């Protein structure tokens, strides 16, 4: 028999009076883009209302558990700025929020449902209960229906005798179940399509769906954000809430994130996780901003929002029903905007590991290289390729010296390099200002446009036609000795080509 006093005590602990949302991931590996978006929307709903954002680790599926995944989830949320108010490592009125540590809570609720006829004990031997996919949507078999029809007293006697069993929800066989969703509106399903889902497995752990409902109620969750993949389970949640006589939270179902028009994002197919994106050199702020727009529109043309601005602007009504496409190029654009907006000192700090990876010369001015990169960088991981010429002059063809806009060919470039060499040798100091002024004076004395001189100097110094920064900045960073050595290489190449 249900212990009414225990149930009453549990009800008395439920927080009330304000918006409470939760992010409830399973610890199965790295955070996917869809999971990050769910967490973000739940965070925004709570913060906009001055409510509470909760982290709950749903680890009852032991077969899918990945060691260290909980730590990854916590690190990801904090790194993205989605600070939660209650969870595994934060104090709160009900803690810790790890389902495997709360397993004693779930069975009494399932047993109560058996007692009132809303669930039943199932003893079917052919079912490997612990391994059964509890998300299966197929109807239970005729053999399982025999357990559904067992008198409660007989089933309870068998349970007390130690017979292996699961507890199943007794889904209605006739009529319909209707529920409201903030995005998809009124949804009605035929009850005959619902299965008697397992609530408590034979290992005495709850299934995801059951623990989800119990925890949402006990934690006072008022708004539930989840993906459309959970829509088939939503009617069963409604049946459980109604069986207990509990108020249902607001359902906010967000659309899928797709790789293209036909395929969902999938790590197995090479699509990046949140951590992958950070390793590729995307900024957390840019990823979060872009992810916010995958399924939500603020209205108007504006796209760039800080997390604080998202809290102000976010509206549930702006969430779309339609799937959204994860566009890496658009994310890269966002990242470039965020990189250019960084304080120079912060960009230099973020860029330094990538610069050091490409450049081992101890005399390289990291801050100067970073200053060249910031206006021209979209993803941090592209930095080594952009600056590798500072480490060593690449092999190049003299055709690079031919540039119509700068009015240079191999002969003109040879003349420019010989003149630049003499000018650089005569310089008494080597600063950006002195190099710049010397080249400008030289172009004037030669009667040529600045570009006619600057282009061959840049090609000789970098061995590339596309570089961060121009001839002056590159030469200043290389230093006098290395610049003169590279100009000599260029002169030699051009002399050989013009023979």
């Amino acid at each position: 028999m249900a212990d009414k006093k225990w149930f009453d005590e549990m009800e008395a602990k439920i927080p009330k009076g304000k918006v409470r949302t939760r992010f409830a991931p399973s610890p199965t590996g790295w955070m996917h883009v869809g999971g990050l978006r769910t967490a973000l929307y739940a965070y925004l709903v709570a913060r906009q209302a001055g409510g509470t954002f909760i982290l709950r680790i749903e680890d009852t599926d032991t077969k899918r558990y990945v060691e260290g995944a909980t730590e990854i989830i916590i690190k990801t949320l904090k790194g993205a700025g989605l600070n939660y108010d209650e969870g595994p490592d934060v104090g709160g009125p009900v803690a810790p929020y790890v389902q495997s540590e709360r397993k004693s809570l779930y069975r009494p609720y399932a047993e109560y449902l058996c007692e009132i006829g809303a669930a039943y004990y199932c003893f079917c031997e052919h079912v490997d209960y612990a391994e059964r996919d509890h998300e299966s949507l197929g109807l239970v078999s005729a053999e399982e229906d025999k357990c559904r029809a067992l008198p409660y007293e007989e089933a309870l006697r068998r349970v007390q005798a130690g017979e292996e069993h699961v507890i199943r929800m007794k889904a209605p066989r006739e009529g319909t179940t209707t529920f409201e969703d903030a995005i998809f509106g009124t949804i009605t399903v035929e009850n005959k399509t619902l299965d008697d889902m397992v609530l408590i497995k034979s290992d005495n752990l709850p299934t995801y769906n059951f623990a989800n409902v119990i925890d949402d109620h006990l934690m006072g969750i008022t708004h539930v954000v989840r993906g459309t993949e959970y829509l088939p389970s939503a009617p069963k949640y409604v049946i459980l809430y109604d069986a207990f006589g509990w108020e249902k939270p607001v359902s906010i179902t967000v659309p899928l994130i797709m790789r293209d028009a036909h395929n969902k994002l999938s790590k197995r197919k090479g699509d990046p996780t949140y951590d992958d994106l950070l390793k590729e050199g995307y900024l957390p702020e840019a990823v979060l901003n872009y992810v916010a727009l995958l399924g939500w529109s603020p209205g108007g043309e504006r796209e760039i929002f800080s997390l604080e601005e998202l809290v102000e602007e976010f509206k549930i009504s702006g969430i779309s029903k339609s799937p959204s496409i994860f566009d890496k190029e658009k994310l890269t654009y966002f990242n470039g905007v965020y990189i250019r907006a960084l304080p120079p000192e912060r960009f230099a700090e973020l860029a330094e590991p990538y610069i050091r990876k490409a450049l081992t010369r101890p005399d390289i001015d990291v801050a100067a290289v970073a200053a060249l990169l910031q206006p021209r960088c979209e993803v941090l991981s592209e930095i080594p390729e952009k600056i590798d010429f500072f480490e060593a002059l690449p092999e190049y063809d003299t055709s690079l010296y031919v540039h119509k806009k700068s009015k240079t060919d191999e002969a003109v470039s040879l003349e420019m390099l010989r003149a630049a060499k003499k000018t650089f040798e005569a310089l008494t100091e080597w600063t950006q200002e002195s190099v710049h002024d010397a080249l400008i004076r030289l172009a004037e004395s030669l009667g040529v446009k600045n570009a006619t001189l600057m282009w061959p100097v840049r090609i000789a110094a970098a061995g590339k036609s596309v570089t961060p920064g121009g001839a002056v900045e590159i030469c200043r960073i290389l230093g006098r000795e290395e610049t003169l050595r590279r100009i000599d290489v260029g002169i030699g190449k051009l002399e050989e080509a013009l023979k």
Side-chain angles (χ1 to χ4, degrees), residues 1 12 28-30 40 46 130 177 183 211 241 282 284 286 319 323 351-352 392 421 426 454 465:
M1 296 291 291
T28 56
W30 298 101
L40 172 60
T177 295
I183 310 305
Y241 273 103
Y282 291 91
I319 298 175
E352 183 170 7
K421 178 181 178 182
M454 296 292 187
S465 60

Side-chain angles (χ1 to χ4, degrees), residues 359-372:
L359 307 180
T360 61
R361 291 175 50 196
D363 59 327
I364 286 292
D365 186 337
V366 171
V369 174
L372 292 186

Side-chain angles (χ1 to χ4, degrees), residues 344-378:
E345 302 79 13
R346 177 57 179 157
F347 176 75
E349 180 184 347
L350 293 172
E352 183 170 7
Y354 297 89
I355 295 173
R356 294 295 187 193
K357 181 179 179 181
L359 307 180
T360 61
R361 291 175 50 196
D363 59 327
I364 286 292
D365 186 337
V366 171
V369 174
L372 292 186
L373 288 165
Q374 188 169 5
R376 303 167 178 88
C377 179
E378 289 190 303

Side-chain angles (χ1 to χ4, degrees), residues 11-24:
E11 291 293 307
K13 295 177 183 179
I14 297 173
K16 295 178 175 65
K18 61 179 180 179
V19 170
R20 291 170 63 85
T21 68
R22 48 68 165 177
F23 177 51

